[in-house]
Amino acid sequence: MSNPNTFYITTPIYYVNDVPHIGHAYTTVAADVLARYWRLRGRDVFFLTGLDEHGQKVQQAAAKSGIDPQAHCDKLAPQFQALWKRLNISHDAFIRTTDLPHKSIVQQYIQELFDLGLIYKAKYTGWYCTFDERFWTEKDVLGGLCPDCARPVEQLSEHNYFFKMGQYQARLVDHIKHHPDFIRPESRRNEVLGFLTTQTLGDLSISRPKSRLKWGIELPFDKDCVTYVWFDALVNYVSALEYLPQQPSVDQFWPASVHLVGKDILTTHAVYWSTMLMALNRPLPHTIFAHGWWTVDGEKMSKSRGNVVDPHTILDALGADAFRHFLFREVPFGQDGDFSHATMITLINSDLANGVGNLLSRTLTMIERFANHTIPAASTPALPALEATIAAVAISLPGKIEQGFRSLAFRENLQAIWELIGLCDAYIDKAAPWKLAKNPEDQPRIHTVLHTTAKALRLIAVLLYPYMPQTAGQLAQQLGLAFNFSAPLPQTAYEWNAPFPETKICKGPSLFPRIEPHSQGAKTVSDTAPPPQPTAALPTMEPSAAMPSAPSPTPQAAAIAQITIDDFMKIQLKTAKVISAERVPKSEKLLKLHVSLGEGGEPRQIVAGIGKKYVPEALVGKTIIIVANLKPAKLMGIESQGMVLAAGDSEVRGLVTILEEVDPGTKVK
Ligand code: MSP
């Protein structure tokens, strides 16, 4: 049983055959988010990451650089460490499998298994893939190619040592069946179970003759062989606890709470590692979670395609927190995700610049203006219904987030936090303190609005901290709160009704300036041009087979036609507040918005072709400009009572908004 007061989280140890990329950053940031969350909640956390330095891949990479493998590892290791520093990774230990204590622990374990009669020597003949460093059976190999990487395989015969993995098959199936959290997500668990219940699990070759591979840990009982790289690497999760903390901590932290791995290395963890642990008589980890892979603009990321995403380029342009937020905001953890430059910029602008950044800045500006730079106490309700909704959401949020972290629902947690941000924005718009300020009797109501919003921002800072530690620090600091995120926070930090002292605020620079989609700073992916976005700027009909396409305009027809002032005056432009937004089913680009034009009227429904540029949640609470007197039309069967204004031509570049706070329904001319 894992200890409920501790949390041991690991990443895979990365091969040092090349510099780290976004895939490595993904797992490491995910582990960091969990580690930061549980530390803040008071658990004793051990967060381990590191490098897998042995094996054929590393030997080959070193040979290519013309240096010896150890020198190659020593050269690359600091590059991983430097990236983790820039990404604010808070690991407690960094293991390298060439560390002497690790090597001797691996030898100790192998000797133990040998002495128990669980390792035997045998001749093996099979199809070998040098790239994947593994043998395949006759039926796996199709057309002489490796079923995994599609490279040619060669037939090899050699004496090797085998671990009696097969004898643990039934026990492993039983364990998986009785521990629903052992392999996650569910679909991956089913995959492993499917394989283990339909095929016979063979024994595992755990050695390589030195004649073929020199770069590895020597077998303690045969100096002509080195250990198979996986049999060495997997042991890191336990060996690290023996020698990297100040005192050996295996009893305290083993079994691991979560091994985070990519989907490609689930079998090695769920099957090889689990059976090794069974043989060594140690408990199995609580959870092995397999996440998905990142593609780039729809393509597999690879050196040969030249589309490998270098995290440093993103960090240079956007900083750590924006990158960390992007990694988890859109793609459910466990599924594959597509990295696109455009999506990242859209998210930064909608969630960070216009979202949390804007909420902080407008709240603090009003506290400066209407409350003498001090967070006021709440008194007379301003909008009781909305205040009750915010309170209800805020009270349930910490529990929801905790549940989310237990199930590694990183995206859902961010969605829930942004729901509160959206609610606060809508609340400020509706309460309109700048209007209340005209009447001195309304001062207590202004105070309630500012108190409520500042309190929500306090909670947002606490809950955002695991994802965006720097931003959380800045939020707290600008709100004048003395939070120390490097130690567990008191329970009151999560409680909506905990007292909120009337602190003096300290408004600083804006947290996230907006990014121009095509500005230099946004060119973040090496050699990767942003994909064209075929979104129309304004609501257009989804092309239908029945609709003839218009002929391309001639140069003359494309010239700008002039209109008279009377023509223009016919167009009624108004400000409108977005109340809700959702995607139109089966359409990539259409969003259905409900907007308010104020005066207590019914919200209007507008269908707009902005869905490739904006995620619906990002629009709620925003003030936009609409053509209010456009004849209603149906788009994909849904009535649209107006049109939103947006900049852009064949693609939407940005919605038209307004600089000052104005009431919805205000005329625009
Ligand atoms: N050394 C082994 C792991 C041993 S753990 C005891 C290894 N190393 S790796 O460097 O090749 O891969 C490390 C991790 O990076 C894997 O979890 C893999 O899934 C992940 N990724 C590699 N490319 C990726 C993407 N494009 N997207 C997301 N993760 C990806 O395997």
Side-chain angles (χ1 to χ4, degrees), residues 61 71 132 173 204 207 255 332 340 357 369 416 549 562 592 645:
D132 285 333
V173 168
L204 180 68
S207 67
S340 118
R369 236 170 102 192
S549 57
Q562 292 189 330
K592 185 168 85 181
L645 294 193

Side-chain angles (χ1 to χ4, degrees), residues 16-21 24 76 79-80:
V16 279
N17 50 350
D18 212 339
V19 292
H21 57 60
H24 307 122
L76 276 174
Q79 304 214 31
F80 282 84

